[in-house]
Amino acid sequence: MPDLQAFHDTWAKVRRGDPVAVAQFVRDYQPFLLRTARWRFGDDLRAAADSADVCQSVLLNFLVRAGNGEFEFQSPEDVNRLLAVMVRNKVLSWRRREGAERRDRARAQALGEAAAGVADTTLGPASGVANEELIRAARDRLAPEERELVELRAQ
C-alpha cells in the first residue's frame, strides 16, 4: 500500500489550497477521471460534451468543496470512489438535461459560410472591466506571499 502518511500530508495541503499540492492532485487523479468519464459517456452525449468537460467540472466542484472542508479521506481509494460517483452524477445530470431539452442532433445542420457573421468575437469594454474585476478579486484572496509570487511571475 502506498505511503498513507504522504497521502494524508498531501490531502491536508490540498484542503488548505496549496497551489503545488492542488496541481499534483490534479496530475494524479485526472487520468482516472478521464477514464471514468469516457467509460460513462455514450454516443448521446458526445455531440454535446466531452469527457474532458466532465473531468474539469468534477475537479472544480471537488476542489471547491474540499477547500470548504466537506471531505475527509482515509486512503487514495476513498478519493477514487468519490470521484467516480461525482463523474457518474455529472454524466447523468448532463444526460437528463439533454433529454429534457429534446435535442435532436441528427437533424442539426451546419451553418457553413453564414456562421462567419453570426457572433462578434472581439471583447468589448464591459468584458475588459469584468476581467479586471475578476483578477482583482482573485488577487485579494491570495495570501501576501502568494500575491508576491504572482506579481513576480507577471514581471
Side-chain angles (χ1 to χ4, degrees):
M1 176 167 271
D3 184 12
L4 284 179
Q5 186 58 44
F7 167 76
H8 288 292
D9 292 343
T10 303
W11 176 242
K13 290 177 184 175
V14 168
R15 287 184 66 185
R16 286 194 306 269
D18 179 343
V20 174
V22 169
Q24 185 60 47
F25 178 87
V26 169
R27 279 191 299 275
D28 290 347
Y29 287 94
Q30 191 172 25
F32 170 79
L33 277 169
L34 286 169
R35 279 193 313 273
T36 305
R38 284 186 197 117
W39 181 74
R40 290 267 177 203
F41 254 62
D43 290 335
D44 59 333
L45 283 181
R46 281 195 176 82
D50 184 299
S51 55
D53 296 329
V54 172
C55 179
Q56 289 176 355
S57 179
V58 167
L59 273 172
L60 177 63
N61 185 325
F62 178 87
L63 291 171
V64 166
R65 292 174 65 189
N68 291 335
E70 292 186 36
F71 305 129
E72 197 59 49
F73 300 109
Q74 299 304 316
S75 70
E77 291 78 24
D78 293 343
V79 176
N80 282 342
R81 279 193 287 276
L82 176 62
L83 289 173
V85 168
M86 291 176 79
V87 166
R88 182 196 70 205
N89 291 342
K90 182 62 69 178
V91 170
L92 288 174
S93 171
W94 284 6
R95 187 166 279 129
R96 277 192 302 270
R97 187 176 61 227
E98 284 292 304
E101 294 176 4
R102 306 215 190 264
R103 294 186 172 136
D104 185 1
R105 299 203 184 276
R107 294 186 318 164
Q109 296 177 359
L111 292 175
E113 293 294 321
V118 172
D120 183 12
T121 59
T122 60
L123 294 178
S127 298
V129 171
N131 287 341
E132 288 298 321
E133 288 175 0
L134 284 173
I135 291 169
R136 191 174 321 113
R139 284 189 175 161
D140 289 345
R141 292 183 178 176
L142 295 175
E145 50 283 342
E146 292 171 329
R147 197 173 301 125
E148 183 181 347
L149 285 173
V150 168
E151 289 170 7
L152 288 172
R153 177 70 181 199
Q155 293 175 2

